[in-house]
């Protein structure tokens, strides 16, 4: 390793070597609460292996690098010593190797770090510290409202884990959207009002998401991504993510002012060429810890209390952050490392090649995959009911699907990605927290978007050259699991519909599905 100038200077033994990972970018974090610039030193590492262990897309890598570089600069400007190992200035592929080297050269009294968002890193960092003979102090990640232990304690009380009961408990505990002990607006959720499509005319008057023009530090990071990861998918031409706390706060303010009021009604809708609609795009800033979820929730709640946004929008949004986000993180730590191996249906097909290019005649997949690769973003229903459900219906190996999701999204961190992919989208965990697999025919996508109008296939056709592959594989999936789904109250209706099909039609769908599954790459 080529030491940074600060590291080569002789000095007194370090008290705390504070390791800051790429998604821990908050100067108020627990790892820095007792930081002493005279006795402690920070270590930050740009590790190429983190971008290669899944074949990460350029926007995702760039978000991390740009935000890390800005954060290191902000710490340095406080006079805090930071050993920042930038790409190309050190020989280590992995963070762990860089840490081992630093500990060997300059052993501190202790390593201090916030608990990581990834099981693999937690294990390997602990191993490095043990091997170096340096005590390691994990500090709690305070960027969640519920600690790992609190979630585990809550989960112990339930046979089935359901987000709704967790969410209601969180509302009561925090008092968010509560009035005199009752849920604001008279209901715990307004889900039923959150599922409208845009109708035939499509969305109108949606405020644009603010774009943050790359400054010099970000431009350097983008250039480093192009130089070090030339063959990776994705595009940096339109890079405009907030990568500093100041920009993240601006993004939050603009969302609450301009898009939150209409967030609720069309939360599940999709539209060609409309990549962001009324969504917040705040997951990136929250996952990097540039924003605290508490301030995000508080800003949304205040908008409701001051009459700037209706309850169906604010509750719909708060449910995502206070409910789903915390719940998913709790599930991750409860179910790792087994979750990574989960494969309830025993699916083993490779991911269709067009997940890496968007080059398919299926308009829904072309749109959703295309924007994902271009920007690093797709909203929840695109991830769940377009790309996720297709991977399930196409019987793709859950590990291959999870690796893809972890690689392509700018907000991808494993604690958020894996339960959503393995648990919610693929039912690979056998229904740990969902009551049934999220599957629907092409008719659902047709109802919730205009994609089918631009498609080579027909959503209602289940067999033959014009058949919608989603519809074909949906019926095939139900037929394969007919017995199990017939016995389950949440899926029995689907099976009754399947059984209404003429035997000849059912046979034709089955034959056609076989052909579709054999030609996934060329759909
Ligand atoms: P909005 O629609 O504006 O929602 C507000 C916020 O709620 C989000 O920013 C996010 O922080 C939170 N949120 C909503 N739903 C979830 C959820 N199911 N899990 C966790 N947080 C949630 N989210 C990630 O942050 N990282 C991922 O890697 C990720 N992978 C996903 C993979 C699949 C298959 C699915 C179905 C969902 C995934 N999600 C992931 C959750 C969700 O899709 C994204 O958080 C959301 O689309 C981000 O866009 P947004 O900020 O505009 O969200
Ligand atoms: Fe997607 Fe089928 Fe609609 Fe085409 S017809 S856009 S494949 S759902």
């Amino acid at each position: 390793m080529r030491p940074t100038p600060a590291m080569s200077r002789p000095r007194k033994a370090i008290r705390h070597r504070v390791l800051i990972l790429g998604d821990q970018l908050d100067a108020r974090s627990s790892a820095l609460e007792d930081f002493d610039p005279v006795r402690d030193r920070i270590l930050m590492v740009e590790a190429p292996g983190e971008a290669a262990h899944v074949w990460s897309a350029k926007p995702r890598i760039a978000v991390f690098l740009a935000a890390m570089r800005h954060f290191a600069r902000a710490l340095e400007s406080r006079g805090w010593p930071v050993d920042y190992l930038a790409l190309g200035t050190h020989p280590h592929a992995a963070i762990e190797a860089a840490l081992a080297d630093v500990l060997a050269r300059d052993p501190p009294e202790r390593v201090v770090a916030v608990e990581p968002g990834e099981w693999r890193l937690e294990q390997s960092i602990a191993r490095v510290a043990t091997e170096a003979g340096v005590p390691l102090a994990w500090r709690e990640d305070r960027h969640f409202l519920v600690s790992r232990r609190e979630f585990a304690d809550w989960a112990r009380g339930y046979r089935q884990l359901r987000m709704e009961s967790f969410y209601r408990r969180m509302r009561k505990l925090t008092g968010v959207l509560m009035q005199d002990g009752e849920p604001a607006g008279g209901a715990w959720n307004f889900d039923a009002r959150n599922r409208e499509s845009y109708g035939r005319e499509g969305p109108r008057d949606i405020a644009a998401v603010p774009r943050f023009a790359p400054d010099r530090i970000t431009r350097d990071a983008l250039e480093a991504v192009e130089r070090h990861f030339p063959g990776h998918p994705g595009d940096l031409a339109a890079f405009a993510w907030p990568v500093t706390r100041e920009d993240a706060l601006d993004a939050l303010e603009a969302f609450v002012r301009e898009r939150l009021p209409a967030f609720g009604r069309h939360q599940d809708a999709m539209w060609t060429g409309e990549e962001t609609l009324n969504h917040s795009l705040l997951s990136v800033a929250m996952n990097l810890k540039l924003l605290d979820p508490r301030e995000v929730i508080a800003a949304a709640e205040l908008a409701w209390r001051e009459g700037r946004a209706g309850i169906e929008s604010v509750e719909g949004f708060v449910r995502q952050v206070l409910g789903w986000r915390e719940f998913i993180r709790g599930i991750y730590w409860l179910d790792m490392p087994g979750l990574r191996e989960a494969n309830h249906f025993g699916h083993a097909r490779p991911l269709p090649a067009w997940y890496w290019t968007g080059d398919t005649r299926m308009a829904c997949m072309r749109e959703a995959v295309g924007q994902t690769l271009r920007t690093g973003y797709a909203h929840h229903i695109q991830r769940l009911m377009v790309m996720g459900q297709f991977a399930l219906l196409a019987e793709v190996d859950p590990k291959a699907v999870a690796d893809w999701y972890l690689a392509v999204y700018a907000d991808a961190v494993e604690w958020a990605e894996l339960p959503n992919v393995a648990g919610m989208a693929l039912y690979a965990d056998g229904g740990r927290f969902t009551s049934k697999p999220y599957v629907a025919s092409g008719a659902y996508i047709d109802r919730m978007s205009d994609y089918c109008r631009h498609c080579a296939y027909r959503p209602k056709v289940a067999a033959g050259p014009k058949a919608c592959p989603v519809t074909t594989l949906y019926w095939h999936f139900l037929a394969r699991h007919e017995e199990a789904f017939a016995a389950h109250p949440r899926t029995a209706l689907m099976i009754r519909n399947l059984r209404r099909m003429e035997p000849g039609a059912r046979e034709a769908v089955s034959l056609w599905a076989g052909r579709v599954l054999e030609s996934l790459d060329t759909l």
Side-chain angles (χ1 to χ4, degrees), residues 321-354:
V321 184
L322 182 65
W324 277 113
R325 187 171 188 272
E326 297 284 329
F327 180 78
I328 284 289
R329 191 251 185 173
I331 293 280
Y332 175 79
W333 286 107
L334 218 52
D335 288 357
M336 280 304 277
L339 187 58
R340 178 115 182 96
E341 308 302 320
N343 193 351
H344 176 71
F345 295 116
H347 288 165
R349 292 181 192 276
L351 194 72
W354 41 260

Side-chain angles (χ1 to χ4, degrees), residues 394-463:
E395 304 173 358
V396 179
D397 174 5
K399 260 195 192 151
V401 184
D403 283 355
W404 182 81
Y405 274 95
L406 192 58
V408 295
Y409 287 102
D411 63 14
V413 282
E414 198 180 69
W415 66 261
E417 171 270 329
L418 192 55
N420 273 302
V421 173
M424 202 184 298
L426 302 183
Y427 203 78
D429 60 356
R432 174 87 156 120
F433 63 92
T434 52
S435 56
K436 64 179 178 62
Y438 281 96
V439 286
S441 72
Y444 170 83
I445 293 175
D446 192 25
R447 193 166 64 250
M448 296 310 295
S449 74
D450 68 336
Y451 293 153
C452 302
R453 285 190 230 164
H454 309 284
C455 188
Y457 302 107
R458 298 286 164 265
K460 291 200 177 92
V461 181

Side-chain angles (χ1 to χ4, degrees), residues 189-198 263-269 319 381 444 447-448 490:
N189 81 58
F190 295 83
D191 234 2
R193 287 197 228 160
N194 294 160
R195 296 192 184 122
E196 280 181 43
S197 72
Y198 285 107
F263 176 84
R265 269 177 71 191
H266 303 291
Q267 213 170 305
D268 290 0
R319 186 171 356 124
I381 293 301
Y444 170 83
R447 193 166 64 250
M448 296 310 295
R490 297 293 306 272

Side-chain angles (χ1 to χ4, degrees), residues 1-4 7 45-49 85-99 101-102 105 228:
M1 179 179 74
R2 195 158 6 120
T4 60
M7 288 178 71
V45 185
E46 292 181 357
L85 307 189
L87 281 175
T89 66
H90 65 92
H92 305 293
I95 295 167
E96 300 88 322
L99 175 64
D101 193 23
V102 168
R105 284 166 184 272
H228 291 277

Side-chain angles (χ1 to χ4, degrees), residues 24-150:
Q24 300 180 336
L25 309 180
D26 180 4
R28 298 160 307 173
S29 88
S30 53
L32 293 170
E33 65 191 359
D34 54 352
F35 191 79
D36 175 349
V38 176
R39 295 184 295 163
D40 304 335
R41 293 190 73 83
I42 291 162
L43 174 65
M44 295 180 72
V45 185
E46 292 181 357
E50 289 299 309
H53 85 98
V54 293
W55 197 240
S56 293
K58 290 174 185 172
R60 175 176 187 247
I61 311 171
V63 155
F64 277 94
L65 294 196
M68 285 171 72
R69 290 179 181 199
H70 278 99
F71 185 68
R73 193 63 68 86
L75 294 178
E76 280 166 346
S77 69
R78 293 174 169 210
W80 289 11
V82 181
D83 295 313
Y84 192 93
L85 307 189
L87 281 175
T89 66
H90 65 92
H92 305 293
I95 295 167
E96 300 88 322
L99 175 64
D101 193 23
V102 168
L103 296 185
R105 284 166 184 272
D106 212 349
E109 289 172 23
R110 152 184 328 271
V111 175
V112 172
V114 172
E115 52 195 13
E118 194 167 325
W119 185 87
R120 169 186 65 96
L121 274 177
E122 187 172 82
Q123 301 295 309
S124 56
I125 290 168
R127 202 165 40 243
V128 166
T130 305
E131 283 167 10
V134 179
L136 166 65
W138 286 128
R139 302 245 171 113
E140 188 176 323
D141 190 341
R142 295 193 301 228
H143 292 89
F144 295 91
L145 285 92
V146 175
S147 72
R148 285 158 54 171
R149 177 177 305 184
E150 284 163 348

